[in-house]
Amino acid sequence: MSSWGTESQGSPRYCRHFLTDNSIFHVERCMSAMQSGTQMVKLKNGSKGLVRLFYLDEHRSCIRWRPSRKSEKAKITIDSLYKVTEGHQSDIFHRHAEGSFDPACCFTIYHGNHMESVDLVTSNAEEARTWVTGLRYLMAGISDEDSLAKRQRTHDQWMKQTFEEADKNGDGLLNIDEMYQLLHKMNVNLPRRKVKQMFQEADTDDQQGTLSFEEFSVFYRMMSLRRDLYLLLMCFSEKKDHLTVEELGNFLCVEQKMPNVTGDYCLDIIDKFETLEENKQKGILGIEGFTNFMRSPTCDIFNPTHLEVNQDMDQPLCNYFIASSHNTYLTGDQLLSHSKTDMYAWVLQAGCRCVEVDCWDGPDGEPMVQHGYTLTSKITFKSVVETINKHAFINNEYPVILSIENHCSIQQQKKIAQHLRDIFGDKLDVEAALSKDPKQLPSPNSLRGKILIKGKRLPTHLSEDAEEGEVSDEDSADEIEDDFKLRNSTSNNLSQHQVESHIRKKLDSLLKEAKIGDKEDTDSFSIRALLRATHKGLHRNLGKNSKEGLKKSHSRSFISGIKPKRNSRSRLKCQSVDTDDEGNQDVYGRELVGMPNRAGRRRKTIKLSRDLSSLVLLTNSLAEHEDLEEGGTGNVLSFSETRAQQLVHHRAGEFLRFNQLQLSRIYPSAYRIDSSNFNPQTYWNVGSQLVALNYQTEGRMMQLNRAKFMVNGGSGYVLKPEPMCKGSFNPFSDDPLPAYPKKQLLLKVISGQQLPKPPDSMLGDRGEIIDPFVEVEIIGLPVDCCKEQTRVVDDNGFNPVWEETLSFTLHMPEMALVRFLVWDHDPIGRDFVGQRTVAFSSLMPGYRHVYLEGLTEASIFVHVTVHDVYGKWSPLVLNPSYTIMHFLGANKNRQLKGIRGLFNRGTTKTLVDTGLPVRKRSLSDHLLRRTASAPAKGRRKTKMTLSEVTEERKYSTGEALQAQEVAVGRRSSPRAALQHRPVSMPLERLLQGQLNLTSDQERPDPITDTLIVEN
């Protein structure tokens, strides 16, 4: 394992492998002791601690403890570990245990997406060292794995965990009843007769009627035989049950579009994935080996070359989207959550390159970091800077922007500047990059290993001898000051009931206006969760504040009343009291659309120290301009999301041109007190570089953000499309780039594998077997945004088959994200099962598995084809059904045949194209179709893309029909105008009973297909 760190002055150093300092013998002793178990005190917030027995499970895959009321959830997986620290380093140790325990007996485990901590105290120092050594060894081993080894390990762990959970009586064997319960949990709907038959075949030892783990593995392989993969193998192997080296190479070149495939590469695949030694010796790949290969990272939907930096990093900073965080220090909501320095370490190593620090006067002359005017906890500015310095360049060396929101006095500003210089040292020196071309921003490459301070700078007209001057103030609370008359919570005898009542009203309005909450985001912060937090947190914190007697400037409470709003006719106006750079207030966004400011209202100002101002070189933070074209290249304009929304809708062209030369930052509205996130795509579409999100809130928006920045190795910098960097275009146009070729994406959704029950299922594993369907969503320019979905497969989450092709047209594919969602159909709605979001440019062609994020085995099997399209589109060509029929070479009067045609036993046609309700299945149909991979009858799918909605508004029904007739008349021979090859040749012909194996010379050209559409 190799990783890069930095010394205090920025010189790189090489971190030695963990085992350099630890012998294998010593580590194995630690493992043995951890598996035997150790009694430790588990510290909790606000309690004295709980004595628990902690132990490492036999598979070394997770840490467990007992006793626990939630035995299944009382575990921490090794995969989720972030770091292990020794001594009193965590906040809980600082608050509750300082001086109470020997530091040598204390350690903290950080894990999960939200950097949750488990603080433990052992009875002696030797036990603590044993656990710290063992956990770091396990973490180092995981870091050393390649993607294939990790995939195999997680699969093996999942198999063992599944077996153990199914073994209810703990005898190490599974009987038939336990197997029935397991299959129901796994959403397998097989006849009991078939289950018994496979059970008996797998039961080969003397334990009649039970299965050991090895026998269970055999049973699982029998049940998991993939018919779709078997047919795919057959069509490239001349209907044999294996692939030779030449046939495998042909498959990789023709279908998977792999360049430069050699015989040695194919032999290497056979050696890695084939399970039978006999086949390895013969140099052939059987069905199990082929299945292993197709489910490996090699055949994942994501382009593996994008795991590393692959874009030009020598362009100006304004030509990149930059991963940015808002209020980085917070672990939860914006009112009551804790502030932790660990959040900076986490987001930086997750690829974030712009972090935020809110600075306030602290005790003993030391500035503090906190969310002002709230009850969030405080951390010292010095500890934040030390954490950033330690973790900024571990995973990549591209520059980090430190966005400082300054509320400090002159004396403490000088302290801030001193800490920045002392700790960052040479990382602040960017003179070499500035000297290359002062007229444009430097590139990420020229700023490698550097930290840029984003903040206020003293006006140029101020004398150089002046030690301080006035600049506009930044205050994120100003956005909601018109709604709340903020005052000291200890004054006027405000009761807890009054405080909670005002919060509840505000949250209710948020729920209605911003529609906070997403069915996909089951784990995100919810209104109910926040209200529960306020009930406990306010009671504790308000009592604490009343005893401490906080200063007025720091205890400005968020409650006393809600002003009635003026001009609140529309939802947009109600949400438009905004700030610039989380500060200076504007009214209803009037300045953004050229309207005068309110009654000559003066902006608030703050005194700024020369010491701090001199550190701001490339990223001078400014309030919004009357004219977006003013200002130098080193200025950064910041807007709250509502202010930015006004710009997007009224001055998109100007905003886009501004972003071609300078940086802009968009941050969440102060109304988002639950730390929810806005849709970043809206602001990426106009070229805004620093779109700041609440990283602590997992959900749809953070998933989009991750997918965006995975395109360039997770480096935090993604190059904008060329039209966004120079020239002009209208992102809201129906054809924003008429001179550029469009892309047509054909996604054939073939099957699903091991889809679990919804995470919020009321009955959990005992709930009904799911009825899954797949929805594919395109997120990009408005003209490209649309959704399509497959039909529903009844009672099969283990191996459902859809075999449906979805078609999408993209005008600017570089901006598009492709989102795969799996839903469980329900008569009264739908339940979210899982998702995976991938940038269009990262899609791999051919047959690919889409593994759902956060789920070990769940996946979708798809075929991806991309065509270049030149010329003007007609409504006929945009019709997905026409396009699919044309590409498959089928005529209108013939039913399409696919894999489902081989599985369906009946000849009853589906009702997809009719307006009639779906007929309920007969009992005979139901019995015939109860197999592990049986598809369901088609259900009518409903979709209306953005373009269809636009056309519906633009034309009346008669005009639309007339336009289509003209389009049809314009192309009397539609097939002759299209040059193509079938989507999945030769599988389609095999499935239609027309397989005609061809020689290599007759194979289709593996180059991406091109559609030429005549004007």
Side-chain angles (χ1 to χ4, degrees):
M1 167 186 155
S2 63
S3 58
W4 286 96
T6 51
E7 301 288 358
S8 59
Q9 297 302 316
S11 58
R13 59 179 173 80
Y14 190 74
C15 298
R16 293 181 297 177
H17 191 281
F18 177 85
L19 288 179
T20 303
D21 301 318
N22 297 275
S23 68
I24 291 291
F25 176 73
H26 174 62
V27 168
E28 285 302 322
R29 284 178 54 193
C30 294
M31 295 290 105
S32 178
M34 292 164 66
Q35 289 179 320
S36 299
T38 305
Q39 275 205 336
M40 292 184 265
V41 177
K42 179 184 177 185
L43 293 182
K44 296 188 69 175
N45 210 0
S47 67
K48 296 181 180 179
L50 304 171
V51 178
R52 295 289 184 264
L53 178 68
F54 285 80
Y55 61 96
L56 181 67
D57 75 335
E58 60 177 320
H59 310 303
R60 299 183 179 181
S61 62
C62 62
I63 306 164
R64 294 181 178 271
W65 60 90
R66 61 174 185 262
S68 175
R69 287 177 294 179
K70 300 178 180 179
S71 57
E72 288 299 322
K73 296 184 178 180
K75 65 180 181 181
I76 301 171
T77 62
I78 301 299
D79 280 344
S80 70
L81 295 186
Y82 172 70
K83 69 175 178 178
V84 180
T85 61
E86 302 175 74
H88 294 165
Q89 296 192 36
S90 73
D91 293 338
I92 288 182
F93 275 122
H94 286 165
R95 283 198 299 269
H96 300 289
E98 195 68 58
S100 302
F101 300 103
D102 181 0
C105 299
C106 303
F107 67 98
T108 302
I109 301 171
Y110 292 92
H111 66 99
N113 291 333
H114 297 297
M115 286 286 291
E116 301 168 62
S117 64
V118 177
D119 301 273
L120 302 172
V121 182
T122 61
S123 57
N124 58 68
E126 181 62 29
E127 290 179 340
R129 281 196 297 272
T130 295
W131 275 84
V132 170
T133 300
L135 290 174
R136 287 177 176 171
Y137 167 74
L138 292 172
M139 293 169 64
I142 290 173
S143 300
D144 275 344
E145 289 179 330
D146 60 18
S147 57
L148 178 58
K150 182 174 182 179
R151 170 73 193 141
Q152 186 61 47
R153 177 178 57 82
T154 54
H155 173 74
D156 293 342
Q157 290 177 355
W158 179 85
M159 286 287 292
K160 292 173 182 176
Q161 181 180 347
T162 301
F163 180 83
E164 290 174 354
E165 292 177 356
D167 183 16
K168 301 297 183 183
N169 56 12
D171 61 355
L173 299 170
L174 295 186
N175 58 41
I176 190 67
D177 290 330
E178 290 172 331
M179 185 61 71
Y180 286 144
Q181 294 179 30
L182 174 61
L183 294 182
H184 184 84
K185 175 184 176 180
M186 297 173 68
N187 287 307
V188 179
N189 190 14
L190 280 172
R192 292 203 166 200
R193 175 179 51 79
K194 190 169 183 178
V195 174
K196 285 183 179 180
Q197 179 185 348
M198 290 192 296
F199 191 93
Q200 291 169 358
E201 291 179 18
D203 186 11
T204 56
D205 61 9
D206 297 333
Q207 300 290 336
Q208 294 296 325
T210 58
L211 299 181
S212 64
F213 175 73
E214 291 73 19
E215 292 171 331
F216 167 71
S217 300
V218 173
F219 177 91
Y220 180 80
R221 285 198 297 271
M222 293 167 56
M223 183 178 63
S224 303
L225 180 63
R226 295 272 300 276
R227 300 184 183 185
D228 49 0
L229 291 181
Y230 189 73
L231 291 171
L232 183 58
L233 178 144
M234 284 180 61
C235 74
F236 276 89
S237 65
E238 297 182 353
K239 299 187 179 180
K240 301 190 301 290
D241 63 352
H242 62 267
L243 290 170
T244 65
V245 171
E246 293 76 18
E247 290 165 345
L248 177 59
N250 189 38
F251 168 74
L252 297 178
C253 289
V254 174
E255 282 299 339
Q256 305 301 83
K257 310 292 187 189
M258 289 186 179
N260 306 320
V261 176
T262 64
D264 289 340
Y265 179 75
C266 295
L267 286 172
D268 186 53
I269 290 175
I270 294 172
D271 185 61
K272 282 183 179 179
F273 298 102
E274 179 54 51
T275 57
L276 299 177
E277 285 299 326
E278 182 182 355
N279 285 354
K280 287 184 180 180
Q281 293 175 3
K282 293 180 179 179
I284 60 177
L285 190 66
I287 181 59
E288 285 195 24
F290 184 66
T291 301
N292 293 337
F293 170 65
M294 293 301 295
R295 287 185 65 82
S296 73
T298 307
C299 294
D300 188 78
I301 189 76
F302 185 81
N303 189 338
T305 63
H306 289 187
L307 294 172
E308 304 291 338
V309 174
N310 56 86
Q311 296 181 346
D312 179 10
M313 302 299 285
D314 291 313
Q315 298 193 31
L317 282 178
C318 55
N319 286 1
Y320 296 86
F321 299 112
I322 305 172
S324 306
S325 166
H326 170 252
N327 286 354
T328 311
Y329 47 88
L330 291 180
T331 59
D333 64 73
Q334 305 284 311
L335 294 180
L336 303 168
S337 65
H338 292 297
S339 304
K340 288 186 178 181
T341 58
D342 295 317
M343 291 300 294
Y344 288 93
W346 173 58
V347 302
L348 287 168
Q349 294 191 60
C352 180
R353 296 287 91 184
C354 178
V355 295
E356 184 177 11
V357 185
D358 293 345
C359 303
W360 299 81
D361 282 348
D364 303 322
E366 281 292 334
M368 306 295 290
V369 175
Q370 69 170 119
H371 194 204
Y373 317 125
T374 68
L375 299 176
T376 56
S377 61
K378 306 174 184 179
I379 50 180
T380 63
F381 177 80
K382 183 179 180 180
S383 66
V384 168
V385 176
E386 289 173 340
T387 301
I388 293 172
N389 184 60
K390 182 178 179 181
H391 295 92
F393 305 111
I394 289 179
N395 289 345
N396 77 75
E397 295 184 332
Y398 293 107
V400 170
I401 300 173
L402 187 59
S403 180
I404 294 181
E405 187 177 309
N406 174 27
H407 303 275
C408 293
S409 62
I410 291 294
Q411 289 302 317
Q412 297 213 10
Q413 287 180 38
K414 292 181 178 179
K415 197 73 173 179
I416 290 174
Q418 178 186 339
H419 287 322
L420 291 173
R421 288 192 177 95
D422 292 346
I423 296 171
F424 288 150
D426 293 341
K427 295 186 181 75
L428 298 175
D429 183 10
V430 295
E431 292 297 334
L434 285 173
S435 62
K436 291 183 179 180
D437 187 354
K439 294 184 179 180
Q440 70 176 18
L441 290 169
S443 68
N445 260 342
S446 66
L447 293 169
R448 291 169 73 98
K450 300 299 182 182
I451 292 179
L452 309 179
I453 305 300
K454 172 186 170 295
K456 296 291 183 180
R457 196 159 56 198
L458 289 174
T460 54
H461 60 76
L462 199 66
S463 169
E464 293 184 1
D465 297 332
E467 290 297 318
E468 60 186 57
E470 285 195 348
V471 295
S472 60
D473 186 19
E474 298 176 351
D475 190 345
S476 56
D478 283 344
E479 186 177 357
I480 56 175
E481 192 168 359
D482 279 354
D483 289 336
F484 295 112
K485 293 179 179 177
L486 305 174
R487 59 191 177 192
N488 195 328
S489 59
T490 59
S491 65
N492 297 333
N493 298 320
L494 278 180
S495 68
Q496 177 186 339
H497 175 74
Q498 288 174 305
V499 171
E500 289 188 17
S501 175
H502 283 296
I503 291 181
R504 192 178 297 272
K505 289 178 181 178
K506 193 60 191 175
L507 292 175
D508 287 342
S509 67
L510 275 171
L511 186 60
K512 293 175 183 176
E513 294 179 6
K515 296 182 180 179
I516 293 177
D518 190 333
K519 284 188 176 181
E520 300 171 25
D521 303 343
T522 54
D523 296 328
S524 64
F525 294 102
S526 65
I527 299 301
R528 292 179 182 176
L530 189 54
L531 286 174
R532 285 196 297 269
T534 59
H535 183 73
K536 297 178 182 178
L538 283 173
H539 180 72
R540 179 177 66 253
N541 288 306
L542 287 177
K544 187 186 298 183
N545 289 346
S546 62
K547 292 177 183 178
E548 294 175 358
L550 295 177
K551 295 179 181 180
K552 184 176 181 180
S553 62
H554 285 257
S555 62
R556 188 166 60 161
S557 171
F558 35 88
I559 330 328
S560 76
I562 300 179
K563 267 189 183 180
K565 296 179 183 177
R566 292 176 291 174
N567 300 328
S568 58
R569 297 177 184 176
S570 69
R571 179 179 303 175
L572 185 61
K573 288 184 179 180
C574 290
Q575 295 181 325
S576 299
V577 182
D578 304 312
T579 64
D580 41 85
D581 209 1
E582 308 200 14
N584 305 319
Q585 188 180 22
D586 179 36
V587 180
Y588 306 124
R590 288 179 182 174
E591 287 186 43
L592 295 180
V593 290
M595 297 181 69
N597 198 4
R598 177 174 61 180
R601 181 179 181 272
R602 294 186 60 186
R603 296 186 182 280
K604 295 193 302 182
T605 60
I606 186 175
K607 289 188 178 295
L608 178 64
S609 163
R610 172 74 68 181
D611 288 348
L612 185 56
S613 172
S614 63
L615 296 177
V616 180
L617 299 176
L618 282 172
T619 46
N620 178 30
S621 182
L622 296 181
E624 108 289 342
H625 278 289
E626 286 288 339
D627 187 352
L628 285 172
E629 295 180 359
E630 292 181 4
T633 55
N635 294 331
V636 183
L637 266 66
S638 293
F639 307 94
S640 75
E641 59 175 291
T642 45
R643 297 270 317 278
Q645 193 175 48
Q646 294 283 340
L647 276 177
V648 169
H649 289 304
H650 296 282
R651 301 171 66 183
E654 291 179 64
F655 199 12
L656 193 141
R657 285 191 296 274
F658 172 85
N659 289 324
Q660 291 175 347
L661 298 174
Q662 301 180 58
L663 300 178
S664 65
R665 178 174 179 265
I666 315 297
Y667 58 88
S669 167
Y671 287 119
R672 293 185 181 271
I673 55 177
D674 65 340
S675 294
S676 59
N677 283 312
F678 54 82
N679 186 353
Q681 188 69 45
T682 303
Y683 308 105
W684 289 332
N685 286 342
V686 291
S688 185
Q689 298 88 355
L690 301 163
V691 181
L693 299 180
N694 292 305
Y695 269 56
Q696 71 271 31
T697 305
E698 182 56 35
R700 174 184 171 89
M701 304 314 170
M702 274 305 299
Q703 289 158 4
L704 300 183
N705 194 70
R706 274 198 301 273
K708 183 74 172 178
F709 290 100
M710 279 300 293
V711 172
N712 197 27
S715 63
Y717 288 84
V718 170
L719 192 61
K720 295 182 188 178
E722 186 178 353
M724 278 192 174
C725 299
K726 56 184 178 181
S728 62
F729 81 102
N730 181 5
F732 296 99
S733 169
D734 288 340
D735 192 3
L737 297 169
Y740 286 76
K742 303 170 184 63
K743 298 282 187 182
Q744 185 179 40
L745 170 64
L746 291 179
L747 270 175
K748 179 179 288 184
V749 182
I750 300 172
S751 62
Q753 294 76 43
Q754 300 175 40
L755 305 176
K757 292 178 171 60
D760 56 349
S761 174
M762 292 180 61
L763 299 177
D765 295 335
R766 296 179 292 109
E768 294 181 348
I769 293 176
I770 64 172
D771 305 323
F773 67 95
V774 177
E775 180 180 76
V776 180
E777 179 181 6
I778 303 295
I779 300 126
L781 294 186
V783 69
D784 292 339
C785 292
C786 63
K787 296 180 183 180
E788 288 212 42
Q789 68 185 47
T790 67
R791 73 190 191 288
V792 176
V793 171
D794 293 329
D795 298 333
N796 187 357
F798 186 74
N799 197 2
V801 173
W802 293 284
E803 185 61 22
E804 292 189 34
T805 304
L806 311 178
S807 176
F808 304 93
T809 304
L810 305 175
H811 294 73
M812 185 177 272
E814 300 91 341
M815 291 297 297
L817 303 174
V818 183
R819 188 166 170 83
F820 300 87
L821 300 107
V822 178
W823 299 90
D824 175 21
H825 179 266
D826 189 89
I828 58 174
R830 60 181 185 175
D831 297 314
F832 175 71
V833 175
Q835 68 82 36
R836 174 84 178 274
T837 307
V838 183
F840 174 86
S841 56
S842 295
L843 292 179
M844 289 293 285
Y847 288 95
R848 303 288 168 178
H849 278 92
V850 183
Y851 281 95
L852 303 184
E853 192 173 314
L855 301 174
T856 304
E857 294 292 308
S859 64
I860 312 166
F861 188 46
V862 301
H863 184 276
V864 180
T865 308
V866 177
H867 304 286
D868 287 327
V869 182
Y870 296 88
K872 188 176 181 181
W873 285 93
S874 71
L876 183 61
V877 177
L878 281 174
N879 185 329
S881 62
Y882 170 85
T883 308
I884 296 166
M885 295 281 284
H886 194 85
F887 271 86
L888 295 181
N891 55 54
K892 287 185 178 180
N893 299 322
R894 195 156 128 206
Q895 183 183 8
L896 279 177
K897 294 182 180 179
I899 291 179
R900 69 169 178 271
L902 296 175
F903 298 155
N904 283 338
R905 296 291 180 256
T907 58
T908 307
K909 293 184 178 180
T910 63
L911 301 178
V912 173
D913 298 325
T914 71
L916 300 175
V918 178
R919 178 178 64 85
K920 188 173 180 62
R921 294 181 320 202
S922 67
L923 180 61
S924 60
D925 282 340
H926 187 76
L927 292 175
L928 283 171
R929 295 167 58 253
R930 293 172 68 89
T931 61
S933 58
K937 287 181 181 287
R939 293 189 180 176
R940 186 180 183 184
K941 64 178 182 180
T942 58
K943 84 173 183 71
M944 180 170 287
T945 65
L946 184 63
S947 60
E948 289 174 328
V949 174
T950 306
E951 290 296 323
E952 187 177 66
R953 292 176 180 173
K954 189 172 181 180
Y955 298 106
S956 65
T957 305
E959 290 172 331
L961 289 173
Q962 185 178 1
Q964 187 172 6
E965 289 173 2
V966 171
V968 172
R970 190 178 296 165
R971 55 167 54 248
S972 58
S973 302
R975 294 191 183 181
L978 296 172
Q979 301 168 3
H980 64 277
R981 72 170 183 85
V983 178
S984 54
M985 181 67 151
L987 180 59
E988 291 297 337
R989 291 186 179 177
L990 169 70
L991 300 179
Q992 297 179 37
Q994 303 175 6
L995 181 63
N996 181 17
L997 295 173
T998 61
S999 64
D1000 291 343
Q1001 289 80 7
E1002 296 171 332
R1003 292 287 184 189
D1005 189 352
I1007 300 175
T1008 303
D1009 304 335
T1010 302
L1011 292 180
I1012 303 175
V1013 183
E1014 297 178 353
N1015 289 323

